[in-house]
Amino acid sequence: VPMWWSGDAWEDSPMGRIAAGVWRGYRELPALVEVWRTAPLQALARLHSLVAKDLEPGDDLGRPRQGALEPDDPLRLGPAPSPEVTVARLGLLSSLVSAGTTAPALVEAAVVHGELMTLRPFRTCSGPIARMATRLVLAARMLDPDQLSVPEAGLVALGRPRYVAALR
């Protein structure tokens, strides 16, 4: 397997490490669809362990932030909820996803994305993970089972200022 396929051949810079992690996360998405249906927090933990592998200490990978750790805020969304509130709301989100909903798949995907962006459960990489979770919802709900759509294209078309305003 070439190193670029594993996500390990990117340049050793902050952006290169993020790009490599995002590559690893997107590669893993097809294998996480079934996990997402029954154990969404496990799927999020796996994504974080892949995406943040080169950015966070090994002990923090796959675990929601704890203590006084503030999450990175590249979109300048402002303060995130406390770790205690974050863990509680992640539990509620997990219950919602696991139990299923009659809401349309697009609505569920938007709620999952918005909640993860609000909570920013990890110190780093919560944004890419929220966008990957959108794809997991669409695949798990069979709206895009083969993951051929690119929901991120809509975010790009919306533009960063409007995206940030919608998140706020």
Side-chain angles (χ1 to χ4, degrees), residues 10 17-37 40 43-53 55 93 97 105 108-114 116-117 122 124-141 144 147-153 155 163:
W10 300 76
R17 288 188 291 276
I18 290 170
V22 168
W23 175 257
R24 287 189 297 267
Y26 277 114
R27 277 196 56 239
E28 186 80 6
L29 287 181
L32 289 175
V33 173
E34 287 304 315
V35 177
W36 178 259
R37 286 185 176 123
L44 294 174
R46 175 68 179 145
L47 284 173
H48 186 254
S49 70
L50 291 166
V51 176
K53 174 181 144 187
L55 303 169
L93 185 65
V97 170
E108 183 181 347
V111 167
V112 166
H113 176 84
L116 291 173
M117 289 301 295
F122 306 105
T124 61
C125 302
S126 292
I129 291 167
R131 292 183 284 280
M132 290 175 199
T134 299
R135 286 179 174 231
L136 286 174
V137 170
L138 298 178
R141 293 285 305 275
D144 184 19
Q147 297 183 26
L148 299 175
S149 69
V150 184
E152 298 84 353
L155 301 178
Y163 174 58

Side-chain angles (χ1 to χ4, degrees), residues 64-159:
R65 59 189 162 77
Q66 300 172 20
L69 273 180
E70 279 297 313
D72 288 350
D73 191 13
L75 298 179
R76 297 184 195 93
L77 297 174
S82 71
E84 296 78 22
V85 169
T86 297
V87 168
R89 284 173 59 176
L90 281 172
L92 292 172
L93 185 65
S94 176
S95 296
L96 172 77
V97 170
S98 299
T101 176
T102 58
L106 284 176
V107 171
E108 183 181 347
V111 167
V112 166
H113 176 84
E115 186 69 354
L116 291 173
M117 289 301 295
T118 298
L119 296 175
R120 287 166 278 151
F122 306 105
R123 192 182 68 74
T124 61
C125 302
S126 292
I129 291 167
R131 292 183 284 280
M132 290 175 199
T134 299
R135 286 179 174 231
L136 286 174
V137 170
L138 298 178
R141 293 285 305 275
M142 300 305 286
L143 183 61
D144 184 19
D146 296 321
Q147 297 183 26
L148 299 175
S149 69
V150 184
E152 298 84 353
L155 301 178
V156 170
L158 185 64

